Amino acid sequence: MIRAAERVRVVVIGAGQAGLSVAWHLQRAGLVAGRDLVVLDRAPGTGGAWQFRWDALRLGIAHRVHDLPGMHEMGLRFDDADQTRPAREVVAEYYRRFEEHHDLRVRRPLAVTAVRHDDGGAALVVETRDEQGVPGVVRAEVVVNASGTWGTPFVPWVPGRDRFRGRQLDTTGYRDASDFAGQDVVVVGGGTSAIGFLLELDGVARSARWFTRRPVVWSEDPALAVGAAVAAVEDQDRAARAGRTLPSIVSGTGLPVSPRIRRGITRGLLEAEPMFTRLDVDGVRTASGEHVHADAVIWATGFRADLRHLAPLHLRTEAGGVVVEDGRSDAEPRLFLAGYGPQASTIGANRAGRRIARQVLAILADDDDDDDDAGPARRRVGG
């Protein structure tokens, strides 16, 4: 069975921070959700990637989650949320209330399998598959991709990785420190997730060793941290405009030292070692030649933008990235990438939502003008 093909004005792929922000701005401008505007989300519930985060993560110790546009009129602020609850529960609840209040009619779970040009070139074709495996097609004048990164964790190749007999998992597979009770654990990665895992494993695992590809740079001066963050975003923007692989944000900003992290440093829990040279059947071999026994290796080594479904559009450059300027694809001007590169932070995604929505509306207005030139069948935004 194949679901009947639809034709809409805009498809938004992904209902995380970036996708919901764009959808809210488009709806506010007059597009009607479910008719002019369709939001597709592959996840089973609300909350974007936050719904999959590990049990112990709390808003008070995570990166700050910025409020969505339109949340304040509902009386919702993440700063006022209950920080004793798991962050994934809080974000999922707030996003659910946001979607319902603004009647965004997100369709889930519905995976986007491909985006391609139609035969005549007048639209972009979004191919989908529901949880029963039933395929579908939505044709749109504009597509906003906000698929995020959670679906594409990055695990670097290290010699011997396929020989290790213990457990290997990336950030998406981590659930609770109790899963590693009494075990020797190796944590790889230089970001906040790796630090969170190490702090949670303290007193639960038998041992936890931390390895990073680059020396860890701690940031204790808020003013310097802000400046570094601005510079890192600018690096992301330059890479996106040039179509290069996006650089690591953490490598450009350093790691902020919260009171919790300061306590971990003082206790000697957060001492990073140079990346090990290889794995063997029961551990890793350090750069100095030491063998470190490991029952498990946690790869907290970041994510890459999830753009696999965009492959039919042939956007990849020889440099390995996608050319994106102010959220818009250079190779396909009817495609926008919200939350990509310099927009990856939650506040960046919010700001980008407004800018991308304005550009989308300009394209739709041009299409309407073309329809006027061709005849009386003008399509109005929202009716």
Side-chain angles (χ1 to χ4, degrees), residues 42 49-50 52-54 57 63 147-156 169-175 188-194 197 213-214 236 245-250 298-308 316 339-341 344:
R42 68 185 172 199
W50 283 94
F52 304 112
R53 303 280 181 169
W54 55 98
L57 190 63
H63 288 300
S147 52
T149 62
W150 189 257
T152 47
F154 171 71
V155 177
L169 66 157
D170 57 55
T171 301
T172 66
Y174 182 92
R175 288 293 173 266
V188 186
T192 55
S193 293
F197 298 156
R213 288 176 290 174
R214 302 181 199 78
Q236 290 267 315
T245 301
L246 299 177
S248 165
I249 285 284
V250 171
I298 303 174
W299 298 95
T301 42
F303 297 83
R304 298 291 184 265
D306 189 355
L307 306 179
R308 293 168 293 185
R316 291 283 184 187
Y340 180 82

Side-chain angles (χ1 to χ4, degrees), residues 215-332:
V216 173
V217 177
W218 300 107
S219 178
E220 302 196 53
D221 186 329
L224 292 177
V226 170
V230 170
V233 170
E234 290 174 348
D235 286 345
Q236 290 267 315
D237 189 40
R238 283 191 289 270
R241 290 171 184 265
R244 301 194 305 270
T245 301
L246 299 177
S248 165
I249 285 284
V250 171
S251 65
T253 61
L255 291 164
V257 180
S258 66
R260 180 172 179 254
I261 289 176
R262 168 55 60 198
R263 291 191 294 270
I265 294 173
T266 301
R267 295 175 59 195
L269 301 176
L270 300 177
E271 295 182 358
E273 305 175 50
M275 186 61 185
F276 50 80
T277 58
R278 68 178 185 273
L279 290 92
D280 56 29
V281 293
D282 63 352
V284 304
R285 184 71 61 178
T286 70
S288 64
E290 177 191 2
H291 180 267
V292 176
H293 177 265
D295 297 295
V297 176
I298 303 174
W299 298 95
T301 42
F303 297 83
R304 298 291 184 265
D306 189 355
L307 306 179
R308 293 168 293 185
H309 51 286
L310 302 181
L313 298 177
H314 305 292
L315 305 176
R316 291 283 184 187
T317 68
E318 292 183 359
V322 175
V323 180
V324 178
E325 184 171 350
D326 200 20
R328 191 173 189 177
S329 165
D330 180 72
E332 174 45 79

Side-chain angles (χ1 to χ4, degrees), residues 7 9 141 364 367-368 371-372 376-381 383:
R7 182 176 292 275
R9 306 216 71 179
E141 297 170 52
L364 300 183
D367 288 347
D368 288 340
D371 287 343
D372 283 346
R378 175 169 181 158
R379 290 167 293 174
R380 296 183 181 275
V381 172

Side-chain angles (χ1 to χ4, degrees), residues 6 48 55 71 89 171 232 245 287 302 331 342:
E6 294 181 75
D55 297 341
M71 271 180 54
E89 292 182 4
T171 301
T245 301

